Amino acid sequence: MSPACDAEKFCKGACVRTWIAARKANLSATWSRYKRMTVGNSLRVLLVEDSADDAELIVAELERGGYRVIAERVQTAHAMQEALRRARWDMVVSDYDMPGFSGPAALEVLKAMGQDLPFIIISGTIGEETAVAALKAGAHDFLAKGRLARLLPAVERELRDVTARRERLVANDALRQSEAQYRSLVDRAVFGIYRSTVDGRLLTVNPALVRMLRYVNADDLLALNLNDVYMDRTARDALMTKVMEHGRIAGEEVMWQPRSGDAIRVRLSGAIVDVSTTGSPIFEVIVEDITERHRLHEQLRQAQKMEAIGHLAGGIAHDFNNLLTAILGYSELLTEQIGPDKSIGSDLREIMSAAQRAAALTRQLLAFSRRQVLAVAALDLNQVIGNMEKMLRRLLGERITIKTAFADRLRPIMADATHLEQVLINLAVNARDAMPQGGTLTIETRDADLDAHYASTHAGAKPGAYALLSVGDTGMGMSRETQARIFEPFFTTKELGRGTGLGLAAVYGIVHQLGGYVWVESEPGRGTVFQVYLPETQHAVQTTAAPVVRVVAPGTETILLVEDEDAVRAFIKTVLQRFGYTVWETPSAEAALTLLDGVDGPIHLLLTDVILPKMDGRELALRVTRNHPLTQVLFMSGYPERMATPQGFLESGVQLMEKPFTAQSLLARVRQALGRDINERHSHGSEPGTVEPVGHP
């Protein structure tokens, strides 16, 4: 084949390829127009044009591109403003120069109306510099009237741009709203929130953190380095190690020191949220003040511990006090039989003294666990303390000076005098031990009112009116760590063998059982002051006459004794029979009821233990008094909680004798329960102040 043929074939092929490419482009444009028409793609155009013919050419060009054009032509600024207010437009196409109006003026109207629409200028007379100036002023494109073929691409481009621009605006608005909501959430959060650098420089803080650390404003707190807030700098170092290893921390508890006031316990949770421009991590941390929650948790833990020890104390108190009753009772009987002058008498007195100390230890166990039974009455605190003053001087010794300052008219309180005396004795002994070289013990009383603010800052206190007992010493004082534990059972700072750690625990238990509150103030080397607040009562204090010395008269009545502990039952029977009583004894309630069925004469007194196998003493008393209504009842117990109200007070009308007891106290309580005046013995010539059992061997 000749070269000419080859050239012809090549030209024909090139023409075909060119034709195919043109055809494809035409088909693509036609398809685009078709899609715009079939999907209902309308275009609302505001034409700023003084020539109706030119406006028709523009509309025709847009329709040729497949748009369904809705157009309105305006020629003045006022008409343009009205059109913009009246309808929604997709774009503005404006002539550059018109009589009395211009493209730049139309652009200013659009801007003034605050509408974001594509603005295209079309002119046949403008130069390049003028076109550039118009674009800089805000026009989106500039076309020559003789080249309207560029109109359709310009419109499509500007529609895409305005859609993207509006989407960005919506996204930015959403972002701003989200940031505002986040900032509002952070600012209103009850938890503290902050961002900081590795070295502790605070970047942002929220109002809750400012309040938590007791600063005036955020700027004051931002000026502080976070390291200065930690009570223990090593605690923050440990946290930073964790967060750098794991990227986050959760529920870490540390102690912070606010600008003023006591330290607070906080719980920290956070993570690395960003890296600064210097490459250093940024930490975002949430801070929860758990000081109050921790205090309540510690109170609960202490209450649970006291409850557990209380159950233990109650469990051993019954059996332990039964044993002590037998030890004390038989030691007393042996002493009476042998006589006080025999050498063995001093040994027996030591046994009795040891048993009494053991009984006091049991009472303290029950006191701190608030399981004692209190026989409360309206009391004058001044009178209770005044009656003890001589005894306290003997107890504390000559090296301790006692000073008192009593309020003239002190509020009455509802309390058990015996246990109130125990409180004062324990505080006095604690003060004596804190002043080994001597010193001054100051006892004061006054009225006190605790308000809600005081109660909120002192755990266990309640607002109200109180009578205050203050016991202060000039001793060695205590550290804050010791003060935090002084009311714990078995905690003591004394040497081995010099303290049980139950004295102050018993004070705490008794005061709280009476509905009161105890607080301590102390510093090392500057002494200690205990403040006991006892709530005021509306009951009037009953004025009592001075106690009359009485003696116990011998008995002739019949007593039903119910006690399951053999040694205790034998001791009681021996004492009562020696004093003239007729005693029927049984080890159980069931046996007592059986015995009563066979007794013809009266039973003057039921003397029964509270805790018995199967049927207890309370049920027995109900059954006995139902059939023998004249029979008096005297209960005995080494652990009398069952005879108490939920507040720990002795039930009204119940006569109870707590174990351990001596023969003398047994005879006095039996005589009291039977109702005969103790002074009847005077007619028999006995000396006042003596208790004479009948039938000494």
Side-chain angles (χ1 to χ4, degrees):
M1 186 176 292
S2 67
C5 293
D6 289 340
E8 183 180 359
K9 288 176 63 178
F10 175 79
C11 290
K12 288 181 178 178
C15 289
V16 170
R17 287 193 296 273
T18 302
W19 181 85
I20 291 173
R23 186 63 177 166
K24 285 182 176 179
N26 188 38
L27 288 172
S28 177
T30 302
W31 176 244
S32 297
R33 288 195 298 273
Y34 174 75
K35 284 197 300 181
R36 286 195 290 269
M37 295 176 70
T38 55
V39 299
N41 193 12
S42 63
L43 183 66
R44 301 178 62 86
V45 182
L46 181 62
L47 295 171
V48 185
E49 176 63 67
D50 62 335
S51 171
D53 293 338
D54 288 347
E56 288 181 2
L57 287 174
I58 293 170
V59 171
E61 184 65 24
L62 292 173
E63 287 178 341
R64 191 179 65 82
Y67 290 102
R68 291 200 303 273
V69 180
I70 301 170
E72 180 178 345
R73 186 169 66 90
V74 296
Q75 302 179 62
T76 65
H78 177 72
M80 182 180 178
Q81 291 170 349
E82 289 297 319
L84 288 172
R85 292 191 187 100
R86 185 176 61 253
R88 180 183 61 83
W89 302 98
D90 294 321
M91 64 169 28
V92 178
V93 178
S94 175
D95 193 0
Y96 184 81
D97 191 14
M98 297 173 290
F101 200 33
S102 67
L107 180 59
E108 291 303 317
V109 170
L110 183 65
K111 289 181 179 178
M113 297 289 287
Q115 296 193 24
D116 181 22
L117 298 177
F119 189 90
I120 298 175
I121 295 177
I122 299 178
S123 178
T125 60
I126 195 170
E128 183 178 344
E129 291 184 1
T130 304
V132 171
L135 293 173
K136 287 183 177 179
H140 295 96
D141 207 342
F142 197 105
L143 304 178
K145 285 188 176 181
R147 301 182 62 183
L148 288 182
R150 285 189 57 235
L151 178 60
L152 190 61
V155 167
E156 291 179 339
R157 182 189 67 243
E158 293 307 321
L159 289 176
R160 288 194 303 270
D161 288 350
V162 75
T163 300
R165 193 160 58 249
R166 288 170 179 172
E167 288 176 350
R168 284 196 301 273
L169 287 174
V170 171
N172 288 337
D173 285 343
L175 179 61
R176 282 192 294 270
Q177 289 180 9
S178 176
E179 289 177 345
Q181 290 173 353
Y182 171 77
R183 174 53 56 190
S184 176
L185 182 65
V186 169
D187 288 346
R188 291 181 300 178
V190 295
F191 296 150
I193 301 174
Y194 71 84
R195 284 192 174 192
S196 72
T197 60
V198 175
D199 59 1
R201 182 167 56 89
L202 288 167
L203 303 176
T204 60
V205 296
N206 74 330
L209 188 69
V210 176
R211 292 191 299 270
M212 188 183 300
L213 291 172
R214 304 189 182 101
Y215 279 80
V216 177
N217 53 54
D219 292 338
D220 290 343
L221 182 55
L222 288 170
L224 187 71
N225 190 288
L226 195 59
N227 294 320
D228 298 330
V229 175
Y230 282 77
M231 295 287 292
D232 181 4
R233 173 63 184 273
T234 60
R236 184 171 190 272
D237 295 339
L239 288 182
M240 296 307 301
T241 300
K242 283 186 179 181
V243 78
M244 295 301 290
E245 288 179 355
H246 306 292
R248 63 179 56 251
I249 54 173
E252 299 288 341
E253 295 185 13
V254 295
M255 298 299 295
W256 278 6
Q257 180 59 59
R259 187 178 189 179
S260 61
D262 295 332
I264 60 174
R265 180 179 292 271
V266 297
R267 178 176 292 161
L268 307 178
S269 299
I272 298 174
V273 295
D274 196 5
V275 177
S276 67
T277 55
T278 61
S280 177
I282 301 298
F283 304 103
E284 186 171 78
V285 180
I286 296 176
V287 186
E288 181 183 4
D289 185 351
I290 60 169
T291 307
E292 180 66 13
R293 185 188 306 174
H294 180 75
R295 182 184 67 81
L296 293 175
H297 175 75
E298 286 299 305
Q299 282 186 339
L300 177 61
R301 186 185 64 83
Q302 181 74 3
Q304 290 173 335
K305 179 168 65 176
M306 293 178 73
E307 183 73 13
I309 299 177
H311 280 300
L312 173 64
I316 67 173
H318 178 259
D319 294 334
F320 194 53
N321 283 330
N322 274 333
L323 295 173
L324 291 175
T325 300
I327 293 170
L328 276 171
Y330 283 112
S331 298
E332 184 183 19
L333 293 179
L334 282 172
T335 302
E336 291 175 354
Q337 294 177 35
I338 294 172
D341 298 332
K342 302 288 180 30
S343 59
I344 196 173
S346 62
D347 296 334
L348 290 171
R349 284 192 293 273
E350 286 298 323
I351 294 173
M352 293 177 66
S353 177
Q356 288 167 346
R357 289 197 300 272
L361 187 62
T362 305
R363 285 194 298 273
Q364 287 185 330
L365 277 170
L366 293 174
F368 90 80
S369 60
R370 291 176 252 178
R371 293 179 179 271
Q372 293 191 114
V373 176
L374 306 180
V376 296
L379 299 176
D380 181 350
L381 184 58
N382 287 341
Q383 184 178 349
V384 175
I385 299 172
N387 292 339
M388 296 181 63
E389 194 168 345
K390 290 183 180 179
M391 184 270 291
L392 286 176
R393 295 187 187 279
R394 292 195 302 269
L395 177 67
L396 298 181
E398 295 180 354
R399 290 192 293 184
I400 305 294
T401 301
I402 298 178
K403 293 183 178 180
T404 59
F406 297 160
D408 292 336
R409 294 174 59 85
L410 193 63
R411 290 167 175 163
I413 59 172
M414 189 68 72
D416 182 316
T418 301
H419 293 93
L420 207 54
E421 291 170 355
Q422 185 181 351
V423 167
L424 184 56
I425 289 172
N426 285 354
L427 291 177
V429 169
N430 187 75
R432 180 197 65 189
D433 294 343
M435 300 183 288
Q437 305 304 318
T440 301
L441 178 74
T442 303
I443 303 174
E444 299 180 66
T445 63
R446 66 176 184 273
D447 290 337
D449 295 291
L450 301 184
D451 57 19
H453 174 71
Y454 184 93
S456 67
T457 56
H458 293 73
K462 297 179 181 178
Y466 293 83
L468 170 63
L469 165 63
S470 175
V471 179
D473 64 61
T474 57
M476 60 186 70
M478 293 179 283
S479 66
R480 295 184 68 174
E481 292 75 18
T482 300
Q483 291 179 55
R485 300 189 60 192
I486 54 172
F487 296 121
E488 291 184 10
F490 308 113
F491 173 77
T492 180
T493 58
K494 301 171 185 176
E495 317 118 22
L496 187 64
R498 288 204 59 201
T500 62
L502 286 175
L504 293 178
V507 169
Y508 180 91
I510 293 172
V511 171
H512 278 257
Q513 192 171 353
L514 291 171
Y517 168 70
V518 58
W519 179 253
V520 61
E521 294 179 355
S522 184
E523 288 185 29
R526 306 187 73 172
T528 300
V529 177
F530 284 91
Q531 295 175 331
V532 176
Y533 297 87
L534 297 168
E536 178 187 21
T537 181
Q538 300 303 317
H539 295 280
V541 176
Q542 297 295 323
T543 304
T544 56
V548 178
V549 178
R550 298 178 181 272
V551 294
V552 179
T556 58
E557 292 88 349
T558 299
I559 298 174
L560 175 58
L561 170 62
V562 186
E563 168 62 63
D564 60 327
E565 185 69 33
D566 294 342
V568 175
R569 190 173 67 252
F571 158 66
I572 295 173
K573 180 180 179 181
T574 299
V575 172
L576 294 177
Q577 285 183 335
R578 287 183 180 181
F579 222 72
Y581 294 101
T582 299
V583 180
W584 299 92
E585 58 164 316
T586 66
S588 68
E590 292 81 0
L593 293 174
T594 302
L595 186 149
L596 279 174
D597 291 338
V599 174
D600 293 330
I603 299 294
H604 299 96
L605 177 68
L606 170 63
L607 178 59
T608 178
D609 195 8
V610 175
I611 301 176
L612 295 169
K614 296 183 180 180
M615 184 189 304
D616 67 12
R618 291 169 60 109
E619 178 64 23
L620 172 63
L622 288 173
R623 295 197 182 190
V624 169
T625 54
R626 186 181 303 138
N627 297 322
H628 300 78
L630 297 180
T631 300
Q632 301 298 313
V633 179
L634 175 60
F635 292 103
M636 306 175 291
S637 182
Y639 178 48
E641 187 182 38
R642 296 186 187 181
M643 308 302 295
T645 65
Q647 293 75 29
F649 303 153
L650 185 63
E651 290 181 354
S652 177
V654 172
Q655 298 191 77
L656 174 69
M657 180 168 55
E658 294 189 47
K659 298 175 181 177
F661 47 76
T662 62
Q664 291 185 6
S665 60
L666 169 65
L667 292 169
R669 290 303 304 274
V670 167
R671 190 70 269 150
Q672 180 185 7
L674 287 168
R676 284 178 56 194
D677 194 309
I678 298 176
N679 270 335
E680 286 187 22
R681 281 282 292 165
H682 286 191
S683 62
H684 295 275
S686 297
E687 286 212 9
T690 62
V691 177
E692 298 180 359
V694 174
H696 267 303

